[in-house]
């Protein structure tokens, strides 16, 4: 960007400038992409001078790359808060004991967070990430207890589905 070798970065943090408090920024695989040295505001973007020195073509090839802060750089969560990254891979268990799957991703299409659940078999499905549907989140055991209406569950996971077998018979 420009003649000074700066790159443009869009921040998605609550406080946009806070992105520069986390140190090196990583790609999805955890590889350092850029280490901010200086930054200046450009409306809804930042112009960033980086420690890494790449040719313009190399930076252009990285256009659209999502940058991530290292988990270790994030502050501890308050009571009742979790980081989205910590939910990935957690088990989702119905409050009645049915295994519903594991958290594959957390999506947000503008109307709030949705937990994308990968069941043991079949396609993924989405559940709204609300306290009503997820009344208990145990990050020590990495289990999300869920109480969704059966209409939100795919075939085979509904308690009223004839193909469903109760994991706790009797």
């Amino acid at each position: 960007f420009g003649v000074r070798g700066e790159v443009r970065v869009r921040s998605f943090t609550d406080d946009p400038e806070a992105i520069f408090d986390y140190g090196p920024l990583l790609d999805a695989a955890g590889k350092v992409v850029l280490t901010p040295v200086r930054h200046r505001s450009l409306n809804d973007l930042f112009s960033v001078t980086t420690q890494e020195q790449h040719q313009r073509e190399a930076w252009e090839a990285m256009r659209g790359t999502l940058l991530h802060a290292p988990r270790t750089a994030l502050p501890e969560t308050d009571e009742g808060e979790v980081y989205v990254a910590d939910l990935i891979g957690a088990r989702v268990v119905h409050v009645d004991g049915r295994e519903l799957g594991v958290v594959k991703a957390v999506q947000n299409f503008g109307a709030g967070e949705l937990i994308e659940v990968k069941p043991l078999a079949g396609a993924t499905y989405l559940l709204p990430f609300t306290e009503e549907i997820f009344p208990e989140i145990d990050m020590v055991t990495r289990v999300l207890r869920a109480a969704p209406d059966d209409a939100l569950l795919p075939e085979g996971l509904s308690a009223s589905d004839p193909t469903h077998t109760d994991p706790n018979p009797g």
Side-chain angles (χ1 to χ4, degrees):
F1 171 72
V3 294
R4 297 187 212 165
E6 298 169 313
V7 295
R8 286 180 292 176
V9 173
R10 180 180 318 270
S11 175
F12 296 101
T13 55
D14 284 338
D15 170 12
E17 209 160 340
I19 191 171
F20 304 109
D21 296 337
Y22 299 126
L25 299 172
L26 318 172
D27 64 13
K31 179 183 172 211
V32 173
V33 174
L34 65 89
T35 307
V37 175
R38 280 188 315 277
H39 65 278
R40 60 188 172 96
S41 180
L42 294 173
N43 296 323
D44 63 338
L45 300 172
F46 290 95
S47 177
V48 182
T49 302
T50 69
Q51 183 176 319
E52 294 74 19
Q53 300 296 313
H54 296 296
Q55 295 295 318
R56 179 181 179 95
E57 294 79 14
W59 286 119
E60 284 290 330
M62 288 186 249
R63 181 183 299 259
T65 299
L66 288 177
L67 301 173
H68 305 268
R71 175 64 178 89
T72 56
L74 302 177
E76 289 300 316
T77 57
D78 290 332
E79 182 70 30
E81 291 183 335
V82 295
Y83 284 115
V84 168
D86 293 341
L87 297 173
I88 309 303
R91 289 176 46 227
V92 180
V93 178
H94 197 282
V95 292
D96 68 9
R98 287 180 274 159
E99 286 286 337
L100 299 178
V102 298
V103 177
K104 179 180 178 187
V106 179
Q107 307 290 350
N108 189 327
F109 302 109
E113 275 86 22
L114 298 167
I115 299 290
E116 184 174 356
V117 181
K118 174 65 177 139
L120 294 174
T124 63
Y125 60 97
L126 300 171
L127 293 174
F129 191 42
T130 64
E131 285 186 42
E132 180 181 307
I133 292 179
F134 290 95
E136 181 185 338
I137 298 172
D138 185 341
M139 292 312 298
V140 174
T141 61
R142 296 185 36 79
V143 173
L144 282 67
R145 298 260 177 238
D149 185 279
D150 277 350
L152 295 174
L153 299 176
E155 270 187 47
L157 292 178
S158 171
S160 61
D161 190 312
T163 62
H164 169 75
T165 55
D166 188 346
N168 302 315

